Amino acid sequence: MNNQIYLIALLLSAVWMIEILKASNFEKAFKQNKVWQIKSFYVVIALVGAHLIASFIERVFELFQLN
């Protein structure tokens, strides 16, 4: 069950973070016409942030799990 919670939270938070990064104008920090660098930056940052959020959500669910 914990793996399912982690995976769902990871996917949802990664999509959410990519949308936030797209709206944040980080493109100005990169050279023009370097699309693959910008997209790879978004993916790496989104996955790191999504992992942190998913781990937090998983631990919260573990706290309230009845055994």
Side-chain angles (χ1 to χ4, degrees), residues 21-49:
L21 287 170
K22 279 198 253 182
S24 67
N25 293 328
F26 273 123
E27 293 89 11
K28 295 176 184 175
F30 295 94
K31 294 180 181 177
Q32 293 294 330
N33 300 325
K34 299 289 183 175
V35 176
W36 71 270
Q37 290 176 343
I38 296 168
K39 287 184 180 184
S40 63
F41 172 76
Y42 285 168
V43 169
V44 168
I45 296 300
L47 287 177
V48 168

Side-chain angles (χ1 to χ4, degrees), residues 48-65:
V48 168
H51 166 70
L52 294 174
I53 292 170
S55 295
F56 174 74
I57 291 172
E58 182 183 25
R59 288 179 190 220
V60 168
F61 271 91
E62 285 177 3
L63 285 175
F64 297 106
Q65 202 173 38

